[in-house]
Amino acid sequence: MALLSLKNVRVAFSGLTALDSISLDAEAGQVLAVIGPNGAGKSTLFNAIAGYVPLAGGSIQFDGRDIQGLPIHAISALGMRRSFQNGGVFGAMTTLENVLTGLSQRIASKPMGLLFGLAGARRAEAEAREHAVELLHMMGLAAIAHRPARELSAGQQRLVEITRALAARARLLLLDEPAVGLTSAEREHLMAILRRLCSEGIAIVLVEHAVDMVMAVSDRIAVLNYGKLIATGSPQEVRTHPAVLEAYLGQS
Ligand SMILES: Nc1ncnc2c1ncn2[C@@H]1O[C@H](COP(=O)(O)OP(=O)(O)O)[C@@H](O)[C@H]1O
Ligand SMILES: [Mg+2]
């Protein structure tokens, strides 16, 4: 069963149909890229999945549960994280502190103090810190653990944002143009990280304009145009799909 499953999802903004009967699955351990011309509905798709805009029709299941109509925080607590196009880190906090905010969101949902008393709560906090440091090592961020996030490069900030989502136990990452503003070395690093997260069972849905990156990193690609899904398939299938060629050629 797919981790995320959309069935006939429709979103309308006062008359404009921004998403028209979209059915789409995202699997654990895979990168699904969503591409399409400007205004195609890519960001709206993310907003609908993460609960930022209501559906006018259809349904969305995450891990077998209907999530349409749930508030944003409830969806996020189930293990889904959406990144934003600009920023997403707390600039005044260090890298480590940013990641700890992800962990504390997870811990805050459990009444540690009530269950274990103060000593138990302290122990939980120490463990959280250890886990955060482990994640920083895995992501290659350990050397900048104590630098304020605002001093980091765009690529490093993006990785901090992803690390924080992992700390909060995200199982599905929705990444909106994560490669914007990154150097080519940072892009390479980001792609390697995304592949690695997939190999550990995370599902990734990616909106990205950098076609080279999309082709290299994705298992499947979905193509939106005017709110409609015009193609889905492997990078190879999509690259040669007539409707896709027409949508892109028609735009320029
Ligand atoms: N909050 C909103 N209110 C009204 N129209 C919106 C809103 N968000 C997006 N739209 C419209 O929906 C369509 C899809 O937009 P969007 O999802 O941002 O496209 P993309 O991310 O693919 O560029 C566009 O026509 C856009 O103007
Ligand atoms: Mg967009």
Side-chain angles (χ1 to χ4, degrees), residues 13 16 18 37-44:
F13 298 112
L16 173 93
N38 266 334
K42 305 180 296 293
S43 295
T44 302

Side-chain angles (χ1 to χ4, degrees), residues 11-14 16-19 34-47 52-53 82 85 176-177 207 209 224 226-227:
V11 172
F13 298 112
S14 53
L16 173 93
T17 300
L19 293 177
V34 180
I35 64 171
N38 266 334
K42 305 180 296 293
S43 295
T44 302
L45 183 71
F46 273 18
N47 287 334
Y52 288 80
V53 298
R82 179 197 197 298
Q85 251 157 295
D176 202 348
E177 302 204 24
V207 166
H209 279 294
L224 282 177
Y226 294 111

Side-chain angles (χ1 to χ4, degrees), residues 101-114:
T101 63
L103 276 162
S104 63
Q105 277 168 8
R106 183 158 64 86
I107 290 166
S109 64
K110 297 194 185 71
M112 292 286 179
L114 290 177

Side-chain angles (χ1 to χ4, degrees), residues 31-239:
V31 176
L32 168 70
V34 180
I35 64 171
N38 266 334
K42 305 180 296 293
S43 295
T44 302
L45 183 71
F46 273 18
N47 287 334
I49 294 169
Y52 288 80
V53 298
L55 304 192
S59 62
I60 303 178
Q61 285 203 328
F62 182 63
D63 200 16
R65 295 174 56 165
D66 279 325
I67 58 165
Q68 69 274 11
L70 288 184
I72 294 163
H73 65 86
I75 295 175
S76 146
L78 292 174
M80 186 194 298
R81 279 302 165 110
R82 179 197 197 298
S83 79
F84 288 91
Q85 251 157 295
N86 317 301
V89 297
F90 304 110
M93 289 186 185
T94 66
T95 299
L96 177 62
E97 286 164 348
N98 267 281
V99 174
L100 284 170
T101 63
L103 276 162
S104 63
Q105 277 168 8
R106 183 158 64 86
I107 290 166
S109 64
K110 297 194 185 71
M112 292 286 179
L114 290 177
L115 282 175
F116 306 121
L118 201 56
R122 287 222 185 87
R123 196 162 54 237
E125 213 174 295
E127 279 169 15
R129 229 182 150 74
E130 249 171 60
H131 182 49
V133 171
E134 267 169 37
L135 285 172
L136 290 177
H137 277 284
M138 182 190 96
M139 298 289 276
L141 298 173
I144 53 166
H146 301 294
R147 297 256 311 271
R150 69 167 112 68
E151 290 177 9
L152 306 180
S153 72
Q156 290 168 326
Q157 291 190 12
R158 201 61 41 78
L159 293 179
V160 171
E161 195 182 355
I162 293 171
T163 312
R164 192 179 55 205
L166 297 174
R169 284 274 192 271
R171 291 182 296 151
L172 173 72
L173 300 177
L174 301 165
L175 304 176
D176 202 348
E177 302 204 24
V180 168
L182 271 55
T183 65
S184 58
E186 285 176 332
R187 276 185 191 200
E188 291 292 323
H189 184 49
L190 176 65
M191 281 198 275
I193 293 276
L194 295 184
R195 289 311 322 173
R196 171 149 182 206
L197 295 179
C198 273
S199 73
E200 290 173 13
I202 304 273
I204 295 170
V205 186
L206 178 73
V207 166
E208 186 52 64
H209 279 294
V211 174
D212 54 337
M213 178 165 163
V214 167
M215 291 294 165
V217 84
S218 309
D219 296 291
R220 285 194 313 132
I221 300 179
V223 189
L224 282 177
N225 196 25
Y226 294 111
K228 285 191 161 69
L229 197 58
I230 58 169
T232 50
S234 68
Q236 195 48 43
E237 285 163 349
V238 160
R239 148 188 278 157

